[in-house]
């Protein structure tokens, strides 16, 4: 069996202020560092053959804290993968999240993202944001889907049978990943900071557990 343990990074300043945080970055808060440490303790006895973070400092910092607590892995290969970074929100980066979804959802008759997701599905949010972005730079659903699939295939090919990978990524990325690889769940909640999502990539990728 090949397994990828995806972790959402710890809370950041922009998370705390409920601002859109995709390709912009901000440091972990004290709470975020504590969340990463708690995750590290939870995974302390899990052997990892590969450790990966996105190229965002919040993910790199979280991975370092988790590995500091790990007692089961020696000489672990550590990599940075751009493909597991957060969604690109275009000109909505850094803006208040409630205001953002009012702007996007208002013309569609909804005032928050969750109502939009229930009606249209999670991936469609990327197209709504792209269309509402005055610069049309926000990531589209097609681009995101391909990026997630490339990221998973890359890690899958790096692992040998019986090996595990630890990957620190981001909330919206993981939410969409779970949607792509879970056949029976049409709606997936936002994962908690520091939570673990397990993906079986022995053959066809499939979610084992989400937001644990």
């Amino acid at each position: 069996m090949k397994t990828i343990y995806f972790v959402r990074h710890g809370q950041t300043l922009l998370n705390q202020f409920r601002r859109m945080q995709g390709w912009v970055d901000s440091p972990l808060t004290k709470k975020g560092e504590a969340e990463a440490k708690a995750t590290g303790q939870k995974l302390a006895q899990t052997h990892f053959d590969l450790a990966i973070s996105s190229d965002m400092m919040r993910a790199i910092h979280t991975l370092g804290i988790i590995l500091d607590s790990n007692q089961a892995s020696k000489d672990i290969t550590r990599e940075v993968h751009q493909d597991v970074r957060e969604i690109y929100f275009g000109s909505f980066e850094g803006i208040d999240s409630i205001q953002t979804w009012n702007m996007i959802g208002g013309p569609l008759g909804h005032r928050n993202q969750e109502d939009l997701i229930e009606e249209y599905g999670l991936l469609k949010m990327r197209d709504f944001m792209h269309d509402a972005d005055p610069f049309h730079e926000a990531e589209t659903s097609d681009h995101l889907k391909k990026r997630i699939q490339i990221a998973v295939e890359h890690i899958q090919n790096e692992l040998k049978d019986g090996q595990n990978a630890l990957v620190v990524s981001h909330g919206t990325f993981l939410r969409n990943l779970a949607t792509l690889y879970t056949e029976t769940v049409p709606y997936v909640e936002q994962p908690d900071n520091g939570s673990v999502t397990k993906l079986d990539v022995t053959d066809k990728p499939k979610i084992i557990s989400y937001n644990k």
Side-chain angles (χ1 to χ4, degrees):
M1 187 173 182
K2 301 179 183 180
T3 307
I4 305 175
Y5 289 68
F6 282 98
V7 175
R8 185 186 177 193
H9 62 79
Q11 184 198 64
T12 68
L13 281 176
L14 289 182
N15 290 154
Q16 181 180 355
F17 299 145
R18 296 185 180 181
R19 293 187 174 274
M20 303 296 295
Q21 184 179 219
W23 288 12
V24 299
D25 212 356
S26 67
L28 298 183
T29 60
K30 292 296 182 183
K31 179 181 178 181
E33 291 177 347
E35 289 168 336
K37 186 175 181 179
T39 302
Q41 292 171 345
K42 181 166 59 176
L43 298 175
Q45 301 303 323
T46 303
H47 175 78
F48 294 107
D49 304 277
L50 180 62
I52 296 169
S53 73
S54 82
D55 56 345
M56 301 286 100
M57 285 306 302
R58 59 193 188 268
I60 293 171
H61 190 187
T62 298
L63 179 61
I65 294 173
I66 293 173
L67 290 180
D68 285 343
S69 296
N70 192 274
Q71 302 169 17
S73 309
K74 294 182 179 179
D75 301 322
I76 186 170
T77 300
R78 186 167 172 171
E79 300 175 356
V80 173
H81 288 197
Q82 190 176 41
D83 280 336
V84 299
R85 67 161 50 175
E86 183 59 291
I87 314 310
Y88 181 36
F89 299 135
S91 64
F92 293 106
E93 294 279 355
I95 295 178
D96 178 85
S97 60
I98 295 176
Q99 178 184 356
T100 295
W101 289 106
N102 279 342
M103 293 169 62
I104 296 170
L108 299 168
H110 293 293
R111 292 296 179 183
N112 63 72
Q113 181 183 195
E114 306 310 311
D115 289 344
L116 283 169
I117 292 170
E118 287 193 47
E119 181 169 351
Y120 297 101
L122 189 60
L123 273 170
K124 190 63 179 174
M125 299 307 100
R126 309 280 54 89
D127 295 325
F128 289 153
M129 180 173 282
H130 176 83
D131 293 342
D133 179 2
F135 294 89
H136 297 299
E137 288 197 2
E139 195 164 12
T140 65
S141 60
D142 283 345
H143 185 273
L144 174 60
K145 183 176 180 179
K146 290 175 184 176
R147 179 157 72 87
I148 291 173
Q149 291 170 336
I150 288 170
V152 169
E153 183 177 0
H154 185 175
I155 301 167
Q156 182 180 30
N157 290 337
E158 285 197 80
L159 292 175
K160 298 177 182 178
D161 288 341
Q163 291 188 332
N164 299 321
L166 171 64
V167 181
V168 178
S169 186
H170 305 265
T172 305
F173 180 93
L174 294 178
R175 197 176 187 182
N176 282 274
L177 177 143
T179 298
L180 289 176
Y181 296 119
T182 306
E183 295 181 356
T184 58
V185 181
Y187 177 82
V188 180
E189 75 276 8
Q190 180 80 340
D192 298 326
N193 290 106
S195 64
V196 179
T197 292
K198 293 171 65 176
L199 184 70
D200 177 3
V201 292
T202 309
D203 189 12
K204 182 180 178 181
K206 60 181 179 181
I207 292 291
I208 303 171
S209 62
Y210 178 75
N211 192 30
K212 300 298 184 182

